[in-house]
Amino acid sequence: MSFYELNPEPRALLITTFFILICTSMYCIPIVYRRNKLLPKILVPCCSMLCLAVTALLAAIFRTIDEGLIMSLYSKWIIEIPVVFLLLLMLAIADYLVFIIIREYDYRRHSITSSSIKESIDHLTTGLCFARPDGVVVLMNHRMDELCHQIIGTDLQNANLYWEILSHGDNLQNVERLSEGDQPSFCLSDGTVWTFKKEILDGVFQLSAADTTQEYKLIDQLKEKNKELRAMNLRIRQYRKKVDDYIREKERLETKVNIHNQLGQALLVSRYYLKNHNSNTKEILDMWKHNIEMLNMEVESASATDQFQTLLEVARSAGITVKIEGEAPKEKELKQLFTTASIEALTNAVRHADAKHINIKLSQTEDTFIISFSNDGKLPAEKIIEGGGLSSLRKKVEQHYGEMEITTIPQFTLTLRLRKEKGDAKW
């Protein structure tokens, strides 16, 4: 079948296909001329000219046939060429041009070109701009261009002018300047923070912009932590002052209790001497002399064990029998509390109840020491009002998270419940 025997639609489609091949070959000509191979530089222009000639001849013959004009012998020879030959020619040219395009695509994918460098820079998350010393931009990515629009509202045309504005110029109102100078920083309207830097590399002016949002968030968090630490430090200083006041108050209380106990023992023995006249006068005078020296801060207070032994001797000198049942606490503060309570119980038993026998019973549970003092003296006629000695003792017991209880039925009993700390020991 020849071109003449085809219907008008297939004729038009064949001509259109050859026209498309003309356009494709024209696109491939710049591609092959950028390469060093000689054969494509010859074949592609030849394909383009061949397609152009065939398209022009077919279009002229198609017009002649359509209008019924008289054809020349040359035209008759062209229209009698089999269509298969035209189709094979068209497929050969198309395959070659597709081969050229695919090879160029592979070359661009696996080779570094000027366009690939530009594409790589455009895909960077940081802003980047290269310029000449006079400020003329040589290469710039999309991120830097976007930042320029967001900060100053114009295109980046002169890198030197742009850097002057970044360093100490005016920016848009919706952009907050965080710092200026060699590394200016800006907080944009979307909340991100960008820091800029200028460098000179082999005579080329490089301007870069990095996203420092996380760094500024960490700085803000560090400022908050420092603020909290300053507040905590202030609270610690205040607490330390309170602790110092507490220690001074505790020392004053212990001094008062010790003086009270020492004077109470001296008064107890002196009272017994005045009633019976059978005590050792020298012992009483030595006791008062020791109290006077203690008031003058010339001697130190005795330890808890020494005080307890002194208490037993004082009781014996005053004609008082002391009976102890159980094991005493080992922890130092509990020992001191036990001794203080014993002195107070002995003094009150002799002074207010004329007692001759005092019973001290010590017991313990898993976490508590229980100490009770009872005597054979007369019961109080009225409700007991805690004076200086009992009041100071109660305060010391409560400071140790303990409890103090006073009962008068069936006999006077002073009970202490002290929190256990470190085991127990015998006196």
Side-chain angles (χ1 to χ4, degrees), residues 51-96:
C51 290
L52 180 61
V54 172
T55 302
L57 289 174
L58 293 180
I61 294 171
F62 183 79
R63 179 172 177 272
T64 302
I65 296 173
D66 187 54
E67 296 180 359
L69 300 175
I70 299 174
M71 292 183 290
S72 63
L73 294 176
Y74 181 74
S75 298
K76 289 180 180 181
W77 179 79
I78 293 296
I79 63 175
E80 290 177 357
I81 296 175
V83 177
V84 175
F85 176 77
L86 296 176
L87 292 176
L88 291 175
L89 178 63
M90 179 183 65
L91 289 175
I93 295 174
D95 289 342
Y96 182 70

Side-chain angles (χ1 to χ4, degrees), residues 288-302:
W288 278 107
K289 181 179 179 182
H290 176 78
N291 286 330
I292 293 172
E293 291 176 349
M294 183 181 64
L295 292 173
N296 290 330
M297 300 299 179
E298 295 178 0
V299 295
E300 296 182 356
S301 300

